[in-house]
Amino acid sequence: MTIGSVHGTEEDRVSDRDRWVRVGSFRGRIEAETARSALISRGIESRLVGDDGGGTGFPLSLEHQGMEVHVAPGDLGLARQLLDLDE
């Protein structure tokens, strides 16, 4: 038996987590961690994606700089609203 929630059923949320989507891009890890913390405090699971050289501030690749915060597709609208992002 699956119990429904504000964000859909648990089964929906598990399959959503398999398809993370970008909610925002940030210049560095600190900004991204702050955004992620805001989402976590509201019950939205998220993860950081990016290359910051392991926190050194020096990316290992010049093609990708900065950090992205990703959430499940079902949480995208609320996450953007909470972070006040229009991406």
Side-chain angles (χ1 to χ4, degrees):
M1 180 171 128
T2 304
I3 299 173
S5 70
V6 174
H7 301 288
T9 65
E10 183 60 26
E11 183 177 294
D12 291 339
R13 298 208 18 96
V14 169
S15 63
D16 269 359
R17 279 183 244 138
D18 292 335
R19 301 179 308 260
W20 295 89
V21 294
R22 180 177 54 88
V23 68
S25 298
F26 302 87
R27 296 189 79 184
R29 179 173 288 275
I30 293 172
E31 291 174 349
E33 288 281 5
T34 301
R36 183 170 183 253
S37 293
L39 296 174
I40 290 170
S41 74
R42 296 296 298 264
I44 298 175
E45 292 184 52
S46 60
R47 67 179 182 180
L48 295 182
V49 176
D51 177 8
D52 70 346
T56 65
F58 300 104
L60 300 176
S61 165
L62 296 177
E63 293 178 17
H64 181 80
Q65 295 184 17
M67 301 293 293
E68 296 179 348
V69 176
H70 289 209
V71 297
D75 292 328
L76 184 59
L78 180 58
R80 284 187 175 157
Q81 182 180 8
L82 291 172
L83 298 177
D84 195 26
L85 297 173
D86 295 323
E87 295 186 10

